[in-house]
Amino acid sequence: MEFKKYNHIKEEKKISDFWIKKGLFKPKKSKSNKKFSIVIPPPNVTGRLHMGHALNNSLQDVLVRFNRMKGLETLWQPGTDHAGIATQAVVEKNLEKEGIKKNDLGREKFIKKVWEWKEESGGIILDQLKKLGCSCDWSRTRFTMDKNLSDAVIKVFVDLYNDKLIYKDKKLVNWDTKLQTAISDLEVIQKDVQSQLYYIDYQIENSKNKITIATTRPETMMGDTAIAVNPKDERYINLIGKNAIVPLVNRKIKIIADRYADPEQGSGAVKITPAHDFNDYEVGKRNKLEIINILEKNGKINKNGIKEFINLDRFQARQLLVKQLKENGSLIKIETIKNKVPYGDRSNTIIEPLLTEQWFVDAKKLSKKPISIVKKGKTSFFPSSWTKTFFLWMKNIEPWCISRQIWWGHRIPAWYDEKNNIFVAENEKDALILAKKKNKNKKFKLKQETDVLDTWFSSALWPFATLGWPAKTKELSKFYPTSVLVTGFDIIFFWVARMLMMGNYFNKHTPFYKIYVHALVRDEKGQKMSKSKGNVIDPLELINEFGADSLRFTLISMASPGRDVKLSKNRVTGNRNFITKIWSANNFLQLNKCKFNKKVNINSIKLPINQWIFKEFIKTQNLVSKNIEIFRFDEAAKHAYQFVWHSFCDWYLEFLKPIFNSKNKSEIQEAKIFSSFMMANILRILHPFIPFFTESVWSKNKYKEIFKVDLISSSWPNYKNINKFNNYHTDISNIIELITNIRSTKAELKITPKLFCDLSFSEKPKKIKKLIDNHYNLLKQVGRVNNVVDIKKKSQNSIDIIVLKEKLSLGFSKEVDLSSQKERILQKMESLKKQIDGLNNKLNNKAYIENAPKEIVQNDKKLVKELTVEDEKLRSIVSSIN
């Protein structure tokens, strides 16, 4: 019975519901007692599925399904991140549409609104991941603001504070004036922009001399407290220790000697504003300079600025200040330059360094164990090149600012009394006990810290908090440490490094043994996808049009280590065609009533083509397994694709036709049973890549009745080699080479593929003669061969070819004009010669061999061999044309 066209929309929904309803994603105890666990990088609760999610989760799902089929007790832990800043911004925007402002509601009512929004819209991303086919244990879905995860966050904060690894300090931080919160260095994007560089004269006190400085932020001169020059800069040695007057501000500031000033940059003299520049802050500390903050938290000029500038936005103040500097002659010139300017990754506004009180983690101390763990190989990066990047960042790590001035998130468990004493505890009751001791039972009031924790603080606990920590749960003991983390390189430092810190500190174990780092998904031209460029490819649109399997297989097959995925719709179309090819192949088997209903005795297989396809399958099974295990997803997909498309569909099914058309009942029966058996095995090795389609065909073919399990729960193929199949495997491989040569020769001569030809031997080739004698029917029907004739009777209209290092002739009817093709083939040979000579010249160049990437050199060598074989073939053809 032939199946109708595969309807991916209908089938994917039906199968997804079936898997979840039957609880097939939950861990099942294994006989081997081996475990495999992985945590999903929790998408933001505000998120919608983008192509980065699609790649990351497709790769994870390959690992999960593969290990589940290998019999390991497998857990894929799902969940979402509360995404403090992003979620608060979304809810604020929604409220503004209703004419409601956050501050009018107050903290408690606003947070209630966020929870309402989360319940309504927060699960969308998880539903989209289900559409992609992610086989997470959805019954264990976690959220970073769940009670048990929040309890873990509070405990970690309190423990780190008590261990003197969390502290409060007044420091210069990255300040987002739009969101009005501190953000970490990792949340700052350095953009290349065009800026104005202003050259400004500062008058030397009691002198007619002036000193020129250059700045891109002239408004900050209202907070200048020194001018620095290099102690070795002879131009300024006589000015060191003297005072300069800040224009318009009229404040006297010292000219100091500091190595920070570079004689080669600008004028060599640098204005120092410790409150508004990270480098200046360090200069200020070294030289004990006054720190004058001129900005409010909203980016407006405060009371420390020039009187008429107070309450002006920083950029309005800049314009007015430049105008006045021009008018009083202090502005010497303006240059247009390209420089890097810091922007907030969430607000897209220019970040200001601002001196504020914040909470910090001593990341330097926490980084020591992770560095040691990675050095010892207890956690390994794939590709290994990321190890170097990891060490470089960890060794230069700065204190981690963990406080955020927003409402949505984990509120910092710290309380203050009227004297501003700090009491850190897991709850207010415990904080009161601490406060009573400090205040010696005198009357006092406690007020909780209003700041919340950086989202990445709670995310850092994800691998163990989701398993029930701090309770000693069976899930924690069973699945922690996790087996592998699959992540994009863009969050190695946001998330991966911090999980390594927290996991090693609180659990004395690395949170994961392996870290696989994948690249970005770009458009087909290699450009980063962005709304402004209009090149964003929506994965949900592709899933609706082509099916989740087509998208998954495309992304997986392009996931080459260290190389970005250049995605195009055509690629997805091509892989949809691959799925259609399997569907057609299965329909061919169904039409020919190919099926089996009991265990197949492989050792009893007699047909040469069955022995050949089985040997090819074992080779593929091993290559797919090996490449998944070493994270070469692209190679695993390639081997599976080549076997199914070429070995099975192009050759094996073609070889079946002469058998089905024969009258040999035992051969027909064996062919029908074994071809169906091979289809079942194809579905098994393809299942981690294209789960919906394979489960659907498995069900339609009623394989569950034979294997007693759904495909998702079936075992991974692990067949062993059968040596007695070797001879027929070689024979069929040689027949394929012979037929391929016949077909390619016809194509070269512009002869229709359907045209039959005669074969004759120019010499006495024992190998080919024996091959033809043993497999004549296959050769005749699949190779379109009429007769095998004696050399003496060969057609005058014939061509010599070399196959398996032996010569034979292809004879054609008189209607085929061979001589008309000679000139064209000679031209092609000339072109081939130029290609071969060019490649050989490159390969004979020692500098090229030493400096070019090994992969490119290997490809060049391979191409030379292929072109040389083609050249020899064409020479043989030309020499035999009269």
Side-chain angles (χ1 to χ4, degrees):
M1 181 190 76
E2 184 182 11
F3 298 131
K4 292 176 184 176
K5 187 180 176 184
Y6 179 69
N7 183 332
H8 67 264
I9 294 173
K10 181 182 169 187
E11 289 296 315
E12 288 177 0
K13 174 76 171 73
K14 183 176 82 177
I15 288 163
S16 179
D17 292 345
F18 167 75
W19 283 331
I20 293 168
K21 188 179 178 182
K22 283 195 73 177
L24 297 176
F25 299 159
K26 293 181 179 182
K28 299 284 188 298
K29 196 164 176 62
S30 72
K31 292 175 185 175
S32 67
N33 211 31
K34 289 182 178 177
K35 314 285 188 297
F36 179 84
S37 59
I38 187 168
V39 292
I40 199 170
N44 286 353
V45 73
T46 57
R48 297 294 181 269
L49 191 75
H50 59 62
M51 210 53 85
H53 291 134
L55 171 64
N56 178 271
N57 288 282
S58 295
L59 297 178
Q60 288 182 81
D61 199 46
V62 169
L63 292 171
V64 170
R65 290 178 186 270
F66 171 69
N67 281 286
R68 187 186 287 127
M69 291 176 81
K70 283 184 74 182
L72 280 71
E73 189 173 356
T74 303
L75 171 68
W76 187 5
Q77 174 63 53
T80 50
D81 192 283
H82 68 278
I85 291 173
T87 305
Q88 179 158 319
V90 167
V91 176
E92 279 192 66
K93 199 172 179 182
N94 289 344
L95 289 171
E96 280 169 12
K97 289 175 186 174
E98 299 172 28
I100 302 169
K101 287 189 176 179
K102 176 193 77 171
N103 291 339
D104 294 340
L105 277 178
R107 185 171 193 138
E108 283 186 23
K109 285 183 180 177
F110 176 76
I111 290 171
K112 191 180 175 186
K113 288 283 185 187
V114 181
W115 276 108
E116 285 171 8
W117 174 89
K118 187 262 175 188
E119 293 308 311
E120 187 181 321
S121 305
I124 290 174
I125 184 75
L126 299 180
D127 291 336
Q128 291 169 341
L129 289 171
K130 289 172 190 174
K131 280 190 84 169
L132 188 66
C134 297
S135 58
C136 305
D137 182 358
W138 298 109
S139 68
R140 291 187 51 82
T141 300
R142 299 290 183 265
F143 177 53
T144 48
M145 289 283 283
D146 285 345
K147 186 182 184 309
N148 60 321
L149 269 75
S150 295
D151 289 346
V153 169
I154 299 305
K155 177 175 170 51
V156 165
F157 185 95
V158 174
D159 287 358
L160 289 175
Y161 180 82
N162 290 334
D163 293 345
K164 297 186 169 45
L165 290 168
I166 282 181
Y167 57 93
K168 194 172 188 185
D169 197 3
K170 194 169 188 177
K171 285 188 180 184
L172 210 58
V173 295
N174 300 300
W175 187 262
D176 190 310
T177 58
K178 185 176 180 182
L179 300 174
Q180 293 193 41
T181 180
I183 60 173
S184 73
D185 291 344
L186 295 171
E187 293 163 296
V188 176
I189 301 167
Q190 297 291 340
K191 291 188 182 181
D192 289 310
V193 297
Q194 272 200 338
S195 296
Q196 305 295 307
L197 183 64
Y198 302 91
Y199 286 81
I200 303 165
D201 271 351
Y202 284 47
Q203 187 80 42
I204 305 298
E205 187 185 24
N206 301 324
S207 168
K208 291 181 180 178
N209 295 329
K210 295 175 182 178
I211 187 167
T212 306
I213 61 91
T215 180
T216 55
R217 298 160 67 215
E219 68 280 5
T220 61
M221 63 192 286
M222 290 184 273
D224 286 356
T225 55
I227 290 175
V229 297
N230 194 288
K232 293 180 180 177
D233 192 337
E234 292 180 3
R235 293 172 296 173
Y236 300 119
I237 285 173
N238 63 328
L239 293 180
I240 294 169
K242 292 187 176 179
N243 290 331
I245 311 296
V246 181
L248 304 179
V249 181
N250 296 322
R251 182 169 55 246
K252 288 191 288 185
I253 57 173
K254 269 273 192 284
I255 298 172
I256 60 171
D258 195 281
R259 62 187 180 277
Y260 169 63
D262 183 353
E264 304 299 318
Q265 289 283 338
S267 65
V270 185
K271 65 187 273 312
I272 302 299
T273 320
H276 297 289
D277 182 278
F278 289 102
N279 291 314
D280 291 7
Y281 182 69
E282 294 303 319
V283 174
K285 281 203 297 186
R286 280 197 295 274
N287 294 277
K288 296 185 172 66
L289 298 177
E290 185 184 359
I291 297 173
I292 302 172
N293 170 36
I294 59 142
L295 289 177
E296 298 287 359
K297 289 178 179 178
N298 60 5
K300 291 184 177 181
I301 305 301
N302 67 15
K303 62 183 181 186
N304 293 328
I306 300 168
K307 191 174 181 180
E308 62 190 289
F309 287 70
I310 294 171
N311 285 328
L312 280 184
D313 177 78
R314 54 190 164 151
F315 300 120
Q316 288 178 311
R318 180 181 298 177
Q319 289 177 343
L320 182 59
L321 192 122
V322 167
K323 181 174 177 284
Q324 291 188 10
L325 287 170
K326 273 182 186 174
E327 289 169 356
N328 77 1
S330 298
L331 184 65
I332 305 306
K333 63 174 177 174
I334 304 172
E335 284 180 2
T336 299
I337 61 164
K338 273 193 175 180
N339 68 329
K340 289 189 182 296
V341 173
Y343 281 77
D345 67 346
R346 291 285 175 198
S347 64
N348 197 34
T349 194
I350 293 175
I351 296 303
E352 286 290 343
L354 198 68
L355 194 65
T356 59
E357 271 202 317
Q358 301 289 342
W359 291 88
F360 295 89
V361 168
D362 189 340
K364 196 78 178 171
K365 284 184 182 174
L366 283 178
S367 70
K368 287 177 182 176
K369 188 72 183 289
I371 290 169
S372 170
I373 288 287
V374 175
K375 271 185 181 173
K376 289 174 182 174
K378 291 181 180 179
T379 291
S380 306
F381 280 90
F382 298 85
S384 59
S385 55
W386 285 106
T387 310
K388 188 179 177 183
T389 311
F390 172 78
F391 285 144
L392 190 65
W393 188 78
M394 291 293 267
K395 283 172 183 174
N396 293 300
I397 200 164
E398 293 290 329
W400 171 17
C401 176
I402 55 169
S403 44
R404 298 291 179 268
Q405 289 67 50
I406 58 174
W407 288 351
W408 174 242
H410 297 101
R411 195 166 175 181
I412 290 174
W415 284 260
Y416 302 89
D417 62 15
E418 291 94 334
K419 294 176 183 175
N420 234 22
N421 292 311
I422 301 172
F423 306 100
V424 170
E426 291 188 27
N427 52 61
E428 190 169 6
K429 186 180 174 184
D430 290 349
L432 275 166
I433 294 168
L434 294 173
K436 279 179 183 176
K437 288 180 184 176
K438 179 77 176 175
N439 288 280
K440 295 178 182 175
N441 293 321
K442 290 176 185 174
K443 282 190 176 181
F444 61 88
K445 280 184 180 180
L446 288 185
K447 188 179 179 184
Q448 190 177 353
E449 170 67 78
T450 55
D451 290 357
V452 300
L453 287 163
D454 176 12
T455 295
W456 296 102
F457 188 90
S458 51
S459 303
L461 320 183
W462 188 250
F464 55 92
T466 52
L467 296 173
W469 186 92
K472 293 178 180 178
T473 63
K474 63 178 182 180
E475 289 85 3
L476 187 64
S477 62
K478 191 182 282 189
F479 296 115
Y480 187 90
T482 61
S483 309
V484 61
L485 177 78
V486 177
T487 182
F489 67 81
D490 50 337
I491 56 171
I492 288 178
F493 310 119
F494 272 116
W495 189 45
V496 181
R498 288 160 177 177
M499 283 191 289
L500 284 166
M501 289 179 197
M502 297 300 194
N504 280 294
Y505 192 80
F506 286 97
N507 284 286
K508 313 305 176 196
H509 281 293
T510 185
F512 19 74
Y513 295 117
K514 295 173 182 176
I515 302 167
Y516 173 72
V517 184
H518 61 75
L520 291 173
V521 184
R522 297 181 179 270
D523 71 7
E524 59 189 310
K525 294 173 184 172
Q527 293 185 327
K528 192 172 179 179
M529 292 187 195
S530 69
K531 287 178 183 175
S532 60
K533 288 179 187 169
N535 64 346
V536 174
I537 303 173
D538 184 348
L540 293 167
E541 287 179 12
L542 293 180
I543 287 171
N544 289 333
E545 187 174 354
F546 301 104
D549 289 323
S550 302
L551 175 61
R552 283 171 62 115
F553 199 81
T554 303
L555 293 170
I556 294 160
S557 63
M558 297 176 76
S560 181
R563 193 177 298 165
D564 287 337
V565 173
K566 293 180 184 177
L567 184 67
S568 70
K569 201 171 179 179
N570 287 341
R571 292 262 191 182
V572 186
T573 305
N575 285 308
R576 192 266 313 273
N577 295 343
F578 173 54
I579 291 168
T580 303
K581 180 109 174 170
I582 306 166
W583 184 257
S584 301
N586 191 61
N587 270 341
F588 170 78
L589 298 182
Q590 294 300 317
L591 281 168
N592 285 283
K593 297 177 181 174
C594 300
K595 60 182 178 180
F596 67 106
N597 52 22
K598 60 181 180 180
K599 191 174 179 182
V600 174
N601 184 355
I602 297 165
N603 275 297
S604 67
I605 295 302
K606 293 184 175 65
L607 277 173
I609 62 163
N610 284 343
Q611 293 187 13
W612 171 78
I613 195 67
F614 188 67
K615 288 270 293 181
E616 288 292 305
F617 180 79
I618 289 173
K619 186 167 64 176
T620 303
Q621 153 205 291
N622 294 339
L623 284 167
V624 171
S625 298
K626 177 191 165 189
N627 280 291
I628 290 175
E629 282 164 358
I630 61 171
F631 308 114
R632 285 306 304 263
F633 300 100
D634 56 329
E635 288 293 310
K638 182 186 82 175
H639 290 300
Y641 179 97
Q642 287 177 342
F643 170 79
V644 174
W645 190 291
H646 300 297
S647 302
F648 188 79
C649 294
D650 286 353
W651 291 108
Y652 180 68
L653 296 187
E654 285 301 306
F655 288 148
L656 282 177
K657 290 173 185 177
I659 296 169
F660 289 161
N661 293 331
S662 74
K663 292 178 182 178
N664 189 323
K665 288 183 180 179
S666 65
E667 285 191 353
I668 292 170
Q669 187 183 12
E670 184 189 309
K672 287 184 175 183
I673 289 170
F674 203 73
S675 58
S676 181
F677 173 71
M678 286 312 302
M679 176 56 74
N681 282 303
I682 283 169
L683 297 177
R684 285 158 81 193
I685 63 161
L686 285 176
H687 181 69
F689 305 96
I690 48 175
F692 292 114
F693 174 81
T694 50
E695 188 76 79
S696 174
V697 176
W698 182 272
S699 173
K700 290 180 191 302
N701 287 3
K702 298 185 177 168
Y703 288 143
K704 184 179 177 180
E705 294 174 15
I706 302 160
F707 290 92
K708 309 300 180 192
V709 286
D710 300 300
L711 178 56
I712 188 175
S713 305
S714 68
S715 60
W716 182 257
N718 189 27
Y719 297 110
K720 304 302 175 195
N721 212 359
I722 299 174
N723 291 329
K724 69 178 183 180
F725 289 3
N726 289 354
N727 290 339
Y728 276 149
H729 178 265
T730 303
D731 272 10
I732 298 299
S733 297
N734 287 339
I735 282 285
I736 288 170
E737 188 169 341
L738 174 55
I739 294 170
T740 301
N741 271 277
I742 292 171
R743 288 175 175 175
S744 65
T745 302
K746 285 181 184 176
E748 197 63 63
L749 294 165
K750 308 289 184 189
I751 296 170
T752 176
K754 292 182 180 179
L755 192 73
F756 278 78
C757 65
D758 292 335
L759 279 188
S760 56
F761 303 113
S762 300
E763 296 165 7
K764 291 183 180 178
K766 293 177 183 176
K767 191 189 286 184
I768 286 186
K769 187 175 186 311
K770 187 180 176 184
L771 192 66
I772 292 169
D773 288 345
N774 290 342
H775 307 283
Y776 182 67
N777 281 335
L778 281 184
L779 180 65
K780 188 170 183 179
Q781 293 193 48
V782 181
R784 319 277 305 170
V785 171
N786 259 332
N787 300 296
V788 178
V789 298
D790 189 270
I791 184 68
K792 294 169 187 174
K793 296 178 182 178
K794 85 166 187 175
S795 166
Q796 292 298 308
N797 203 31
S798 63
I799 289 292
D800 292 339
I801 62 171
I802 306 291
V803 180
L804 303 173
K805 298 181 181 177
E806 294 178 358
K807 188 185 283 188
L808 66 153
S809 294
L810 306 182
F812 299 97
S813 60
K814 291 177 182 177
E815 288 77 26
V816 177
D817 184 4
L818 297 176
S819 59
S820 65
Q821 301 296 325
K822 189 170 184 177
E823 186 57 37
R824 184 183 58 79
I825 294 171
L826 285 169
Q827 286 175 4
K828 188 171 181 180
M829 285 168 61
E830 184 61 33
S831 174
L832 277 175
K833 184 178 182 302
K834 286 178 182 175
Q835 272 186 277
I836 293 167
D837 289 347
L839 285 165
N840 280 329
N841 286 338
K842 269 205 300 184
L843 294 169
N844 290 330
N845 183 333
K846 192 179 176 183
Y848 173 71
I849 297 293
E850 288 174 357
N851 298 318
K854 285 182 182 177
E855 190 181 339
I856 291 174
V857 174
Q858 287 303 115
N859 286 341
D860 284 349
K861 288 178 179 178
K862 186 183 173 187
L863 186 57
V864 168
K865 283 182 184 177
E866 289 170 358
L867 294 174
T868 304
V869 168
E870 190 179 351
D871 182 60
E872 287 169 358
K873 177 183 162 186
L874 293 178
R875 286 179 189 281
S876 179
I877 291 171
V878 166
S879 65
S880 56
I881 296 177
N882 295 326

